[in-house]
Amino acid sequence: MRHTHMLSQLRWCAFLLLALPLLVRAADPLPSWNEGPSRQAIESFVTAVTTEGGKDYVVPAERIAVFDNDGTLWSEQPMYFQLLFALSEVKRQAPQHPEWKEKQPFKAVLEDDHKTLMASGLKGLVEIVLATHTGMDGDTFRDNAKRWLASAKHPRSNKPYTEMVFQPMLELLTYLRAHGFKTYIVSGGEVAFMRAFAEEVYGIPPEQVIGTTFGSRFEDKDGKLSIQRLPKVAHNDDGPGKPESIDSIIGRRPILAFGNSDGDLQMLQWTMAGEGKRFAGLVHHTDAKREWAYDRKSDIGHLDKALDAASRGHWTVVDMAKEWRRIYPFE
């Protein structure tokens, strides 16, 4: 009897030894972050600004955290996902625009002529975005975006684009909200496109998504009300446009900001220029095996001036290859 009891205790101890790491992992709010300088900086900052009575305590109403989207919350290679959506929309909408068969840059898109498309430069890409994002009401555009997001697959992973999000950043968003932070997206991406998926994917509601906007016009056609999307950029939410948006829409200076490129530099600078304890973070794409490796010489997610500013200002630079145990939710 005693032998049986001892055997039972040994089995229970063995179970605890095996289960303990899993239990610890389950209680870890940031399980995809390796122990390292970035995780330590994040946890130290959050502890400091949320500990009542501490010298760095920040009341919940002022715990504003802002995040870039492309390259910060989800991947942005081989091309910005919104641009891939626009190219897809050219092909889908082509039957309603027979003139596109002979008109550049649309002709290049329809013929998969990437060389000619790239030669059209920024002007050509803007023309494509305007043609596929405007000239319709807001509900129609959101339906188009949701349709594409539900069916399109990333060319390398063959996963939906909404699964190409960074698991460590999803955990960070949840961790911050659990500590009384209000999380915003402040991105160069078009605001309605991001709102088509941000709440479902990131837990960030539409009113906390800020992005580039097109002109709009309210219409009442025989009692049918709509907001028409006009083919002109009302606000470019990139570079200095980001702190401008934060000031006019949020009305509070963030105490935490995360980006990944020079387009985020002014947002990070604006955040760090405020009083009290502050946090600025950059996602540094260093993992060529699991994601991509790029920075100063990349046309997409160009990270040069912001990387230098991070070094001077002692900002947190997340080394993706070393500090992220896992990149995507599906891994």
Side-chain angles (χ1 to χ4, degrees):
M1 192 75 174
R2 183 180 299 174
H3 175 76
T4 303
H5 180 67
M6 288 180 61
L7 187 60
S8 177
Q9 284 186 322
L10 287 171
R11 285 173 177 169
W12 178 244
C13 289
F15 170 77
L16 286 177
L17 288 172
L18 290 170
L20 190 58
L22 296 176
L23 292 171
V24 170
R25 190 78 170 270
D28 182 358
L30 301 172
S32 298
W33 292 76
N34 288 320
E35 291 295 337
S38 294
R39 175 170 177 151
Q40 290 169 8
I42 290 168
E43 292 180 328
S44 175
F45 173 79
V46 171
T47 298
V49 299
T50 60
T51 300
E52 290 192 53
K55 65 181 179 64
D56 296 314
Y57 179 71
V58 176
V59 297
E62 296 178 4
R63 293 177 201 165
I64 303 297
V66 294
F67 292 80
D68 169 57
N69 183 49
D70 296 309
T72 301
L73 296 180
W74 70 357
S75 287
E76 58 186 355
Q77 299 283 358
M79 191 181 293
Y80 296 120
F81 296 172
Q82 185 182 344
L83 185 53
L84 291 172
F85 160 69
L87 299 178
S88 176
E89 282 294 281
V90 168
K91 294 182 178 181
R92 190 184 69 82
Q93 297 178 24
Q96 286 76 51
H97 298 275
E99 72 278 8
W100 286 355
K101 291 182 179 179
E102 301 302 327
K103 181 182 179 182
Q104 295 292 7
F106 304 97
K107 184 174 186 288
V109 177
L110 296 174
E111 295 177 355
D112 292 321
D113 182 354
H114 302 295
K115 184 178 179 181
T116 300
L117 176 62
M118 291 301 104
S120 71
L122 180 61
K123 181 177 180 294
L125 297 179
V126 168
E127 190 174 357
I128 288 169
V129 170
L130 288 174
T132 56
H133 286 56
T134 65
M136 65 193 79
D137 65 78
D139 290 339
T140 298
F141 176 78
R142 279 187 290 274
D143 288 344
N144 291 344
K146 287 183 177 181
R147 183 190 307 112
W148 182 79
L149 289 164
S151 61
K153 300 293 177 63
H154 189 275
R156 191 169 88 172
S157 68
N158 201 37
K159 296 287 186 180
Y161 287 91
T162 49
E163 291 187 26
M164 297 295 291
V165 297
F166 300 138
Q167 180 63 28
M169 298 305 281
L170 294 179
E171 293 167 3
L172 177 57
L173 289 170
T174 301
Y175 175 65
L176 291 174
R177 290 194 287 261
H179 285 81
F181 281 78
K182 196 170 186 178
T183 54
Y184 289 81
I185 291 175
V186 182
S187 173
E190 200 274 326
V191 66
F193 178 76
M194 294 186 292
R195 286 173 176 170
F197 66 90
E199 187 162 27
E200 180 181 351
V201 175
Y202 302 136
I204 298 179
E207 64 271 19
Q208 290 166 221
V209 177
I210 300 169
T212 294
T213 56
F214 295 115
S216 60
R217 182 181 64 242
F218 175 79
E219 280 192 359
D220 181 350
K221 285 190 175 181
D222 300 322
K224 183 178 181 181
L225 309 180
S226 66
I227 305 294
Q228 295 295 316
R229 293 163 61 85
L230 306 180
K232 62 179 181 180
V233 176
H235 178 72
N236 179 17
D237 198 56
D238 196 35
K242 292 193 174 191
E244 292 167 4
S245 290
I246 290 169
D247 185 60
S248 64
I249 298 173
I250 301 175
R252 293 184 188 272
R253 193 189 299 249
I255 64 169
L256 179 148
F258 243 107
N260 79 295
S261 73
D262 284 0
D264 304 310
L265 175 58
Q266 289 84 356
M267 178 173 75
L268 296 165
Q269 290 173 325
W270 176 248
T271 298
M272 297 304 288
E275 296 180 357
K277 197 167 183 65
R278 307 260 148 185
F279 183 98
L282 283 170
V283 174
H284 193 188
H285 294 262
T286 57
D287 198 324
K289 182 179 290 187
R290 296 183 297 171
E291 206 244 3
W292 286 269
Y294 59 96
D295 46 41
R296 297 183 190 273
K297 296 182 179 180
S298 178
D299 292 329
I300 295 174
H302 182 76
L303 177 61
D304 183 28
K305 293 179 180 178
L307 196 57
D308 291 339
S311 177
R312 292 192 302 270
H314 304 289
W315 300 349
T316 296
V317 179
V318 180
D319 186 325
M320 184 183 286
K322 294 180 180 178
E323 298 194 274
W324 283 0
R325 181 177 290 118
R326 180 179 174 195
I327 303 290
Y328 301 115
F330 57 79
E331 288 181 347

